[in-house]
mmCIF file of all heavy atoms in Angstrom:
data_model
loop_
_atom_site.group_PDB
_atom_site.id
_atom_site.type_symbol
_atom_site.label_atom_id
_atom_site.label_comp_id
_atom_site.label_asym_id
_atom_site.label_seq_id
_atom_site.Cartn_x
_atom_site.Cartn_y
_atom_site.Cartn_z
ATOM 1 N N LEU A 139 -10.489 -0.872 2.006
ATOM 2 C CA LEU A 139 -10.478 -2.238 2.510
ATOM 3 C C LEU A 139 -11.780 -2.967 2.212
ATOM 4 O O LEU A 139 -11.786 -4.182 2.005
ATOM 5 C CB LEU A 139 -10.224 -2.221 4.021
ATOM 6 C CG LEU A 139 -8.862 -1.656 4.454
ATOM 7 C CD1 LEU A 139 -8.769 -1.610 5.967
ATOM 8 C CD2 LEU A 139 -7.729 -2.494 3.877
ATOM 9 N N LEU A 140 -12.902 -2.251 2.164
ATOM 10 C CA LEU A 140 -14.198 -2.871 1.934
ATOM 11 C C LEU A 140 -14.561 -2.960 0.450
ATOM 12 O O LEU A 140 -15.521 -3.637 0.097
ATOM 13 C CB LEU A 140 -15.298 -2.088 2.669
ATOM 14 C CG LEU A 140 -15.229 -2.096 4.192
ATOM 15 C CD1 LEU A 140 -16.369 -1.254 4.769
ATOM 16 C CD2 LEU A 140 -15.294 -3.515 4.735
ATOM 17 N N TYR A 141 -13.818 -2.289 -0.411
ATOM 18 C CA TYR A 141 -14.196 -2.216 -1.820
ATOM 19 C C TYR A 141 -14.208 -3.575 -2.516
ATOM 20 O O TYR A 141 -15.117 -3.848 -3.305
ATOM 21 C CB TYR A 141 -13.274 -1.247 -2.559
ATOM 22 C CG TYR A 141 -13.917 -0.675 -3.800
ATOM 23 C CD1 TYR A 141 -14.837 0.364 -3.701
ATOM 24 C CD2 TYR A 141 -13.619 -1.176 -5.056
ATOM 25 C CE1 TYR A 141 -15.436 0.879 -4.821
ATOM 26 C CE2 TYR A 141 -14.210 -0.652 -6.184
ATOM 27 C CZ TYR A 141 -15.114 0.378 -6.062
ATOM 28 O OH TYR A 141 -15.725 0.888 -7.176
ATOM 29 N N PRO A 142 -13.230 -4.465 -2.290
ATOM 30 C CA PRO A 142 -13.303 -5.787 -2.946
ATOM 31 C C PRO A 142 -14.575 -6.541 -2.587
ATOM 32 O O PRO A 142 -15.179 -7.181 -3.443
ATOM 33 C CB PRO A 142 -12.049 -6.491 -2.431
ATOM 34 C CG PRO A 142 -11.112 -5.400 -2.073
ATOM 35 C CD PRO A 142 -11.971 -4.296 -1.550
ATOM 36 N N GLN A 143 -14.993 -6.485 -1.306
ATOM 37 C CA GLN A 143 -16.225 -7.157 -0.906
ATOM 38 C C GLN A 143 -17.440 -6.511 -1.552
ATOM 39 O O GLN A 143 -18.384 -7.194 -1.966
ATOM 40 C CB GLN A 143 -16.364 -7.120 0.621
ATOM 41 C CG GLN A 143 -17.585 -7.864 1.147
ATOM 42 C CD GLN A 143 -17.534 -9.341 0.810
ATOM 43 O OE1 GLN A 143 -16.487 -9.968 0.933
ATOM 44 N NE2 GLN A 143 -18.656 -9.911 0.392
ATOM 45 N N TYR A 144 -17.396 -5.189 -1.662
ATOM 46 C CA TYR A 144 -18.478 -4.454 -2.331
ATOM 47 C C TYR A 144 -18.627 -4.918 -3.778
ATOM 48 O O TYR A 144 -19.742 -5.206 -4.243
ATOM 49 C CB TYR A 144 -18.176 -2.956 -2.271
ATOM 50 C CG TYR A 144 -18.934 -2.126 -3.276
ATOM 51 C CD1 TYR A 144 -20.243 -1.711 -3.025
ATOM 52 C CD2 TYR A 144 -18.337 -1.730 -4.477
ATOM 53 C CE1 TYR A 144 -20.939 -0.955 -3.939
ATOM 54 C CE2 TYR A 144 -19.024 -0.973 -5.395
ATOM 55 C CZ TYR A 144 -20.317 -0.576 -5.123
ATOM 56 O OH TYR A 144 -21.005 0.178 -6.034
ATOM 57 N N MET A 145 -17.505 -5.012 -4.492
ATOM 58 C CA MET A 145 -17.555 -5.438 -5.884
ATOM 59 C C MET A 145 -17.988 -6.896 -6.003
ATOM 60 O O MET A 145 -18.728 -7.268 -6.907
ATOM 61 C CB MET A 145 -16.186 -5.245 -6.546
ATOM 62 C CG MET A 145 -15.839 -3.797 -6.835
ATOM 63 S SD MET A 145 -17.025 -3.017 -7.959
ATOM 64 C CE MET A 145 -16.844 -4.021 -9.426
ATOM 65 N N SER A 146 -17.563 -7.735 -5.072
ATOM 66 C CA SER A 146 -17.947 -9.134 -5.101
ATOM 67 C C SER A 146 -19.456 -9.290 -4.949
ATOM 68 O O SER A 146 -20.096 -10.048 -5.690
ATOM 69 C CB SER A 146 -17.220 -9.896 -3.989
ATOM 70 O OG SER A 146 -17.666 -11.246 -3.944
ATOM 71 N N ASN A 147 -20.045 -8.568 -4.005
ATOM 72 C CA ASN A 147 -21.492 -8.628 -3.806
ATOM 73 C C ASN A 147 -22.237 -8.103 -5.023
ATOM 74 O O ASN A 147 -23.259 -8.669 -5.438
ATOM 75 C CB ASN A 147 -21.882 -7.821 -2.571
ATOM 76 C CG ASN A 147 -21.359 -8.426 -1.292
ATOM 77 O OD1 ASN A 147 -21.029 -9.612 -1.245
ATOM 78 N ND2 ASN A 147 -21.257 -7.617 -0.250
ATOM 79 N N LEU A 148 -21.716 -7.025 -5.604
ATOM 80 C CA LEU A 148 -22.366 -6.438 -6.767
ATOM 81 C C LEU A 148 -22.356 -7.402 -7.952
ATOM 82 O O LEU A 148 -23.376 -7.597 -8.620
ATOM 83 C CB LEU A 148 -21.664 -5.122 -7.119
ATOM 84 C CG LEU A 148 -22.289 -4.249 -8.223
ATOM 85 C CD1 LEU A 148 -22.049 -2.775 -7.899
ATOM 86 C CD2 LEU A 148 -21.678 -4.568 -9.570
ATOM 87 N N LEU A 149 -21.226 -8.033 -8.202
ATOM 88 C CA LEU A 149 -21.114 -8.948 -9.335
ATOM 89 C C LEU A 149 -21.928 -10.226 -9.113
ATOM 90 O O LEU A 149 -22.470 -10.790 -10.066
ATOM 91 C CB LEU A 149 -19.648 -9.284 -9.585
ATOM 92 C CG LEU A 149 -18.765 -8.098 -10.014
ATOM 93 C CD1 LEU A 149 -17.328 -8.548 -10.197
ATOM 94 C CD2 LEU A 149 -19.286 -7.448 -11.284
ATOM 95 N N GLN A 150 -22.031 -10.678 -7.875
ATOM 96 C CA GLN A 150 -22.866 -11.839 -7.583
ATOM 97 C C GLN A 150 -24.333 -11.546 -7.899
ATOM 98 O O GLN A 150 -25.048 -12.402 -8.440
ATOM 99 C CB GLN A 150 -22.717 -12.238 -6.116
ATOM 100 C CG GLN A 150 -21.407 -12.925 -5.792
ATOM 101 C CD GLN A 150 -21.303 -13.285 -4.322
ATOM 102 O OE1 GLN A 150 -22.262 -13.166 -3.563
ATOM 103 N NE2 GLN A 150 -20.113 -13.725 -3.910
ATOM 104 N N THR A 151 -24.768 -10.340 -7.558
ATOM 105 C CA THR A 151 -26.144 -9.957 -7.859
ATOM 106 C C THR A 151 -26.379 -9.895 -9.359
ATOM 107 O O THR A 151 -27.416 -10.347 -9.862
ATOM 108 C CB THR A 151 -26.471 -8.589 -7.221
ATOM 109 O OG1 THR A 151 -26.273 -8.671 -5.807
ATOM 110 C CG2 THR A 151 -27.908 -8.177 -7.511
ATOM 111 N N LEU A 152 -25.414 -9.374 -10.102
ATOM 112 C CA LEU A 152 -25.551 -9.294 -11.552
ATOM 113 C C LEU A 152 -25.563 -10.691 -12.186
ATOM 114 O O LEU A 152 -26.279 -10.918 -13.168
ATOM 115 C CB LEU A 152 -24.420 -8.449 -12.140
ATOM 116 C CG LEU A 152 -24.490 -6.949 -11.816
ATOM 117 C CD1 LEU A 152 -23.251 -6.233 -12.339
ATOM 118 C CD2 LEU A 152 -25.755 -6.326 -12.403
ATOM 119 N N ASP A 153 -24.803 -11.613 -11.629
ATOM 120 C CA ASP A 153 -24.851 -12.999 -12.121
ATOM 121 C C ASP A 153 -26.224 -13.610 -11.870
ATOM 122 O O ASP A 153 -26.745 -14.373 -12.698
ATOM 123 C CB ASP A 153 -23.765 -13.841 -11.445
ATOM 124 C CG ASP A 153 -22.368 -13.478 -11.922
ATOM 125 O OD1 ASP A 153 -22.252 -12.904 -13.027
ATOM 126 O OD2 ASP A 153 -21.397 -13.751 -11.180
ATOM 127 N N MET A 154 -26.820 -13.274 -10.730
ATOM 128 C CA MET A 154 -28.169 -13.756 -10.444
ATOM 129 C C MET A 154 -29.172 -13.172 -11.440
ATOM 130 O O MET A 154 -30.103 -13.847 -11.883
ATOM 131 C CB MET A 154 -28.567 -13.382 -9.017
ATOM 132 C CG MET A 154 -29.963 -13.870 -8.611
ATOM 133 S SD MET A 154 -30.453 -13.300 -6.980
ATOM 134 C CE MET A 154 -30.713 -11.555 -7.296
ATOM 135 N N MET A 155 -28.974 -11.902 -11.822
ATOM 136 C CA MET A 155 -29.856 -11.276 -12.797
ATOM 137 C C MET A 155 -29.768 -11.972 -14.154
ATOM 138 O O MET A 155 -30.747 -12.052 -14.896
ATOM 139 C CB MET A 155 -29.492 -9.790 -12.959
ATOM 140 C CG MET A 155 -29.804 -8.917 -11.754
ATOM 141 S SD MET A 155 -31.577 -8.837 -11.389
ATOM 142 C CE MET A 155 -31.676 -9.996 -10.023
ATOM 143 N N ARG A 156 -28.593 -12.510 -14.487
ATOM 144 C CA ARG A 156 -28.442 -13.254 -15.738
ATOM 145 C C ARG A 156 -29.278 -14.533 -15.700
ATOM 146 O O ARG A 156 -29.864 -14.939 -16.709
ATOM 147 C CB ARG A 156 -26.964 -13.579 -15.976
ATOM 148 C CG ARG A 156 -26.661 -14.108 -17.370
ATOM 149 C CD ARG A 156 -26.961 -13.046 -18.408
ATOM 150 N NE ARG A 156 -26.782 -13.538 -19.749
ATOM 151 C CZ ARG A 156 -25.693 -13.314 -20.480
ATOM 152 N NH1 ARG A 156 -24.690 -12.619 -19.982
ATOM 153 N NH2 ARG A 156 -25.604 -13.774 -21.706
ATOM 154 N N THR A 157 -29.341 -15.167 -14.536
ATOM 155 C CA THR A 157 -30.183 -16.353 -14.381
ATOM 156 C C THR A 157 -31.659 -15.985 -14.528
ATOM 157 O O THR A 157 -32.430 -16.719 -15.171
ATOM 158 C CB THR A 157 -29.936 -16.996 -13.005
ATOM 159 O OG1 THR A 157 -28.554 -17.330 -12.874
ATOM 160 C CG2 THR A 157 -30.773 -18.250 -12.834
ATOM 161 N N VAL A 158 -32.048 -14.872 -13.932
ATOM 162 C CA VAL A 158 -33.427 -14.398 -14.071
ATOM 163 C C VAL A 158 -33.749 -14.123 -15.538
ATOM 164 O O VAL A 158 -34.828 -14.470 -16.030
ATOM 165 C CB VAL A 158 -33.642 -13.117 -13.226
ATOM 166 C CG1 VAL A 158 -35.003 -12.500 -13.514
ATOM 167 C CG2 VAL A 158 -33.506 -13.434 -11.744
ATOM 168 N N GLN A 159 -32.801 -13.533 -16.256
ATOM 169 C CA GLN A 159 -32.992 -13.242 -17.674
ATOM 170 C C GLN A 159 -33.238 -14.519 -18.472
ATOM 171 O O GLN A 159 -34.161 -14.577 -19.301
ATOM 172 C CB GLN A 159 -31.763 -12.519 -18.230
ATOM 173 C CG GLN A 159 -31.769 -12.309 -19.740
ATOM 174 C CD GLN A 159 -30.487 -11.672 -20.238
ATOM 175 O OE1 GLN A 159 -29.747 -11.054 -19.473
ATOM 176 N NE2 GLN A 159 -30.208 -11.813 -21.522
ATOM 177 N N SER A 160 -32.447 -15.550 -18.216
ATOM 178 C CA SER A 160 -32.608 -16.815 -18.941
ATOM 179 C C SER A 160 -33.963 -17.446 -18.648
ATOM 180 O O SER A 160 -34.625 -17.983 -19.552
ATOM 181 C CB SER A 160 -31.486 -17.781 -18.557
ATOM 182 O OG SER A 160 -30.221 -17.246 -18.884
ATOM 183 N N ARG A 161 -34.395 -17.374 -17.402
ATOM 184 C CA ARG A 161 -35.683 -17.967 -17.035
ATOM 185 C C ARG A 161 -36.839 -17.226 -17.688
ATOM 186 O O ARG A 161 -37.797 -17.843 -18.178
ATOM 187 C CB ARG A 161 -35.823 -17.957 -15.512
ATOM 188 C CG ARG A 161 -37.046 -18.697 -15.006
ATOM 189 C CD ARG A 161 -36.971 -18.949 -13.521
ATOM 190 N NE ARG A 161 -36.913 -17.717 -12.748
ATOM 191 C CZ ARG A 161 -35.862 -17.340 -12.025
ATOM 192 N NH1 ARG A 161 -34.787 -18.094 -11.989
ATOM 193 N NH2 ARG A 161 -35.883 -16.216 -11.349
ATOM 194 N N LEU A 162 -36.767 -15.901 -17.720
ATOM 195 C CA LEU A 162 -37.832 -15.110 -18.340
ATOM 196 C C LEU A 162 -37.874 -15.330 -19.852
ATOM 197 O O LEU A 162 -38.951 -15.434 -20.446
ATOM 198 C CB LEU A 162 -37.626 -13.624 -18.034
ATOM 199 C CG LEU A 162 -37.870 -13.192 -16.594
ATOM 200 C CD1 LEU A 162 -37.490 -11.725 -16.405
ATOM 201 C CD2 LEU A 162 -39.318 -13.412 -16.197
ATOM 202 N N PHE A 163 -36.697 -15.414 -20.490
ATOM 203 C CA PHE A 163 -36.662 -15.623 -21.940
ATOM 204 C C PHE A 163 -37.261 -16.973 -22.306
ATOM 205 O O PHE A 163 -37.981 -17.098 -23.301
ATOM 206 C CB PHE A 163 -35.225 -15.526 -22.449
ATOM 207 C CG PHE A 163 -35.096 -15.778 -23.925
ATOM 208 C CD1 PHE A 163 -35.437 -14.794 -24.840
ATOM 209 C CD2 PHE A 163 -34.648 -16.997 -24.400
ATOM 210 C CE1 PHE A 163 -35.330 -15.018 -26.211
ATOM 211 C CE2 PHE A 163 -34.539 -17.234 -25.758
ATOM 212 C CZ PHE A 163 -34.877 -16.240 -26.671
ATOM 213 N N ALA A 164 -36.992 -17.985 -21.483
ATOM 214 C CA ALA A 164 -37.519 -19.318 -21.759
ATOM 215 C C ALA A 164 -39.033 -19.369 -21.619
ATOM 216 O O ALA A 164 -39.680 -20.267 -22.179
ATOM 217 C CB ALA A 164 -36.861 -20.333 -20.829
ATOM 218 N N SER A 165 -39.610 -18.422 -20.884
ATOM 219 C CA SER A 165 -41.056 -18.429 -20.659
ATOM 220 C C SER A 165 -41.836 -17.718 -21.755
ATOM 221 O O SER A 165 -43.069 -17.733 -21.744
ATOM 222 C CB SER A 165 -41.380 -17.775 -19.303
ATOM 223 O OG SER A 165 -41.088 -16.377 -19.333
ATOM 224 N N ILE A 166 -41.151 -17.091 -22.717
ATOM 225 C CA ILE A 166 -41.843 -16.382 -23.800
ATOM 226 C C ILE A 166 -42.517 -17.393 -24.720
ATOM 227 O O ILE A 166 -41.891 -18.344 -25.187
ATOM 228 C CB ILE A 166 -40.854 -15.516 -24.610
ATOM 229 C CG1 ILE A 166 -40.250 -14.423 -23.727
ATOM 230 C CG2 ILE A 166 -41.548 -14.886 -25.813
ATOM 231 C CD1 ILE A 166 -39.190 -13.602 -24.423
ATOM 232 N N SER A 167 -43.785 -17.178 -24.973
ATOM 233 C CA SER A 167 -44.526 -18.062 -25.880
ATOM 234 C C SER A 167 -44.738 -17.357 -27.212
ATOM 235 O O SER A 167 -45.054 -16.173 -27.255
ATOM 236 C CB SER A 167 -45.882 -18.440 -25.266
ATOM 237 O OG SER A 167 -46.650 -17.292 -24.976
ATOM 238 N N GLU A 168 -44.520 -18.072 -28.281
ATOM 239 C CA GLU A 168 -44.685 -17.528 -29.622
ATOM 240 C C GLU A 168 -46.097 -17.799 -30.135
ATOM 241 O O GLU A 168 -46.703 -18.811 -29.782
ATOM 242 C CB GLU A 168 -43.641 -18.136 -30.574
ATOM 243 C CG GLU A 168 -42.205 -17.811 -30.215
ATOM 244 C CD GLU A 168 -41.848 -16.348 -30.385
ATOM 245 O OE1 GLU A 168 -42.607 -15.636 -31.074
ATOM 246 O OE2 GLU A 168 -40.830 -15.917 -29.832
ATOM 247 N N PRO A 169 -46.661 -16.921 -30.985
ATOM 248 C CA PRO A 169 -46.028 -15.689 -31.458
ATOM 249 C C PRO A 169 -46.048 -14.605 -30.388
ATOM 250 O O PRO A 169 -46.963 -14.548 -29.575
ATOM 251 C CB PRO A 169 -46.903 -15.298 -32.652
ATOM 252 C CG PRO A 169 -48.246 -15.842 -32.320
ATOM 253 C CD PRO A 169 -48.000 -17.122 -31.574
ATOM 254 N N ALA A 170 -45.007 -13.793 -30.391
ATOM 255 C CA ALA A 170 -44.887 -12.726 -29.408
ATOM 256 C C ALA A 170 -44.595 -11.414 -30.109
ATOM 257 O O ALA A 170 -43.848 -11.370 -31.072
ATOM 258 C CB ALA A 170 -43.776 -13.046 -28.413
ATOM 259 N N ARG A 171 -45.217 -10.375 -29.657
ATOM 260 C CA ARG A 171 -44.955 -9.059 -30.209
ATOM 261 C C ARG A 171 -43.874 -8.365 -29.391
ATOM 262 O O ARG A 171 -43.592 -8.776 -28.277
ATOM 263 C CB ARG A 171 -46.239 -8.232 -30.278
ATOM 264 C CG ARG A 171 -46.718 -7.696 -28.930
ATOM 265 C CD ARG A 171 -47.934 -6.842 -29.022
ATOM 266 N NE ARG A 171 -47.884 -5.880 -30.083
ATOM 267 C CZ ARG A 171 -48.058 -4.575 -29.901
ATOM 268 N NH1 ARG A 171 -48.271 -4.105 -28.699
ATOM 269 N NH2 ARG A 171 -48.020 -3.751 -30.918
ATOM 270 N N PRO A 172 -43.273 -7.286 -29.958
ATOM 271 C CA PRO A 172 -43.583 -6.730 -31.281
ATOM 272 C C PRO A 172 -42.902 -7.513 -32.394
ATOM 273 O O PRO A 172 -41.854 -8.108 -32.183
ATOM 274 C CB PRO A 172 -43.010 -5.314 -31.194
ATOM 275 C CG PRO A 172 -41.879 -5.425 -30.229
ATOM 276 C CD PRO A 172 -42.294 -6.462 -29.231
#
Side-chain angles (χ1 to χ4, degrees):
L139 297 176
L140 294 179
Y141 204 79
Q143 183 62 43
Y144 161 83
M145 287 300 299
S146 176
N147 293 340
L148 187 147
L149 296 178
Q150 286 179 8
T151 301
L152 290 175
D153 289 338
M154 181 185 71
M155 291 297 101
R156 191 64 184 261
T157 302
V158 172
Q159 173 184 340
S160 300
R161 187 166 62 246
L162 290 174
F163 178 78
S165 68
I166 297 175
S167 58
E168 297 292 343
R171 75 177 315 235

